[in-house]
Amino acid sequence: MAEAGWQRSLYDETYEGGWLEEIRTEVFKAAKGRCVLCSVFQPRTLDHFLPKESWPSLSVLTLNLVAACADCNRIKGTLANASPGQQFVHPYFDAVPMNEVFLHCSPVKDGVMSPGFSIEPCAGMDNDLLARLRWQFDTLELDEMYRDEAMLFFGERKDDWRESAEIDWVTLARQIERECSSAAKATGRNMWKPAFLQGLLDCPSFGASPLTFLGQ
Ligand SMILES: [Zn+2]
């Protein structure tokens, strides 16, 4: 096991000033400023997809390193050895159909703005991947995280949207459509912001009476 200890300790060399520092830099660069697991927060840690304690020889393998925020890393860290149906989706190896929409949002609940998010089947996604995506979504409590982000965003956009809503729904819908497509362009479609905006466009109660939600 002396060898395993040596392999694991290689990881220390990825910190600033170490001779493997470039590995850390490259993995962060590839994440483009977002935690690979939640896509919301800045990644400040490296998560080992397969924990280095059990797979020491993978401790500095770039394909085993995932740029993650501290929260996601903490939650995932304790669960990496779970059963086959309860495994995280590998950010590099699992073929998640990125051109299809699988993150959906239902923005209104019981007549008030309270966005709920869910993962739904789409073309190119088999049942195994769907189950794992849903398990990961629940485990990382992304529904709650996305709801908080969407509510903050809704608060910021409210005044502006109200002005459009006062003209008519078509004006507001066009504005939300534009914001939705530019958000999707920036982050991909399966992120809370485009999902929330599309949810608003598809929501009959919001469309019927947007000013109820935006304030008179
Ligand atoms: Zn995260």
Side-chain angles (χ1 to χ4, degrees), residues 94-174:
D94 278 310
V96 177
M98 295 315 288
N99 294 324
E100 303 288 337
V101 177
F102 56 82
L103 180 68
H104 293 264
C105 174
S106 170
V108 172
K109 198 183 170 198
D110 300 329
V112 293
M113 190 57 60
S114 174
F117 292 83
S118 63
I119 307 274
E120 303 300 336
C122 69
M125 184 186 292
D126 61 26
N127 287 337
D128 172 62
L129 185 58
L130 175 65
R132 287 166 64 207
L133 276 170
R134 281 181 167 163
W135 179 81
Q136 174 165 323
F137 188 80
D138 291 344
T139 303
L140 296 174
E141 297 171 4
L142 295 186
D143 183 37
E144 206 177 304
M145 193 190 284
Y146 291 179
R147 183 184 357 259
D148 289 349
E149 295 295 314
M151 284 306 287
L152 269 175
F153 173 70
F154 184 69
E156 286 165 13
R157 299 301 298 123
K158 234 173 166 176
D159 290 346
D160 213 28
W161 287 350
R162 186 169 50 235
E163 283 180 27
S164 299
E166 277 162 359
I167 302 169
D168 57 18
W169 164 245
V170 177
T171 307
L172 176 61
R174 277 203 197 116

Side-chain angles (χ1 to χ4, degrees), residues 7 48 50-52 55-65:
Q7 288 173 328
H48 286 83
L50 295 173
K52 61 182 183 301
W55 287 272
S57 59
L58 305 182
S59 76
V60 294
L61 179 72
T62 314
L63 292 174
N64 192 43
L65 297 173

Side-chain angles (χ1 to χ4, degrees), residues 10 45 53-54 77 81 94 101 104 111 125 133 148 160 195 198 200 203:
L10 269 181
T45 67
E53 294 308 315
S54 309
N81 286 318
D94 278 310
V101 177
H104 293 264
M125 184 186 292
L133 276 170
D148 289 349
D160 213 28
Q198 188 60 51
L200 289 174
C203 173

Side-chain angles (χ1 to χ4, degrees), residues 35 37-39 41 68-69 72 145:
C35 167
L37 295 169
C38 67
S39 303
F41 298 117
C69 71
C72 287
M145 193 190 284

Side-chain angles (χ1 to χ4, degrees), residues 17 28 80:
F28 277 123

